[in-house]
Amino acid sequence: MFNWLFTWLEGRVSSFPPDEPRKPPATTWGFIRFYTRPFYPLIAVGLLLSIGLAVGEVRVFAYVGQLVDKLNSADRATFWADNKWELLAYGLLAVAVLPFFNAIADSIENQGMRGNYAMRIRWLAHRYMLRQSMEFYHNEFAGRVATKVMQAALGVRDVMMKLTQVIAWVVTFFFSAAASFIAND
């Protein structure tokens, strides 16, 4: 079912770009932006999905609280007739809509970015390192250079994925929950 999506996401950003390697900026955020630029569209969609999922989950949890209050004071004989569309809508949101969008967000993360992101950075950094002088390597151990390339690739990928998905989700969830609590008081 999702095979076409996986294939499209995997090919969205080339892991082995033919571009001539350039020196990345020396600053941390400049370095991260330099290697992240091709992934901006995937990151933006992932960020929007993360925010939407957080808001949706807060709404479901808030509705469950409201449902308990309604059940406490409602006429049990007419409860389903009075609230069936609302119950069906929130049931559909919890059982189908949120899991569907969560699957899309996970696909973007795992198929579109997790592998390609680090591989692209390694490829570009490796090609850049090949252009360095012998004097550069005279004062560096080969294993140390290789380790820096490998760790930098994973570090850049993890920083961006955590910022755009985990932190955005937590911040949105917190503020949505706070707004929900304030609205219900």
Side-chain angles (χ1 to χ4, degrees), residues 3-39:
N3 203 19
W4 65 270
L5 178 64
F6 297 157
T7 303
W8 184 79
L9 287 170
E10 289 167 1
R12 187 78 182 124
V13 177
S14 173
S15 296
F16 306 104
D19 309 342
E20 280 297 313
R22 296 184 333 223
K23 181 178 181 180
T27 64
T28 302
W29 289 109
F31 186 86
I32 290 170
R33 277 193 315 272
F34 177 81
Y35 286 117
T36 301
R37 195 166 287 119
F39 293 93

Side-chain angles (χ1 to χ4, degrees), residues 106-145:
D106 286 347
S107 298
I108 289 170
E109 177 184 339
N110 294 313
Q111 301 299 123
M113 293 195 309
R114 190 162 301 275
N116 290 348
Y117 210 125
M119 187 58 70
R120 181 182 177 90
I121 295 170
R122 288 180 189 136
W123 174 254
L124 292 171
H126 172 74
R127 290 183 61 211
Y128 178 74
M129 297 308 290
L130 288 174
R131 302 178 87 188
Q132 301 306 307
S133 67
M134 289 301 290
E135 186 176 323
F136 172 84
Y137 289 106
H138 181 69
N139 296 324
E140 290 285 341
F141 293 111
R144 183 174 165 191
V145 172

Side-chain angles (χ1 to χ4, degrees), residues 14-85:
S14 173
S15 296
F16 306 104
D19 309 342
E20 280 297 313
R22 296 184 333 223
K23 181 178 181 180
T27 64
T28 302
W29 289 109
F31 186 86
I32 290 170
R33 277 193 315 272
F34 177 81
Y35 286 117
T36 301
R37 195 166 287 119
F39 293 93
Y40 282 166
L42 291 175
I43 290 171
V45 172
L47 180 65
L48 291 174
L49 286 171
S50 184
I51 290 169
L53 286 165
V55 171
E57 288 179 23
V58 167
R59 281 305 314 138
V60 168
F61 291 136
Y63 181 71
V64 169
Q66 294 168 0
L67 183 61
V68 170
D69 293 340
K70 282 183 182 183
L71 285 169
N72 193 30
S73 62
D75 179 17
R76 297 187 193 285
T78 61
F79 185 78
W80 174 253
D82 295 341
N83 298 291
K84 71 178 169 187
W85 296 114

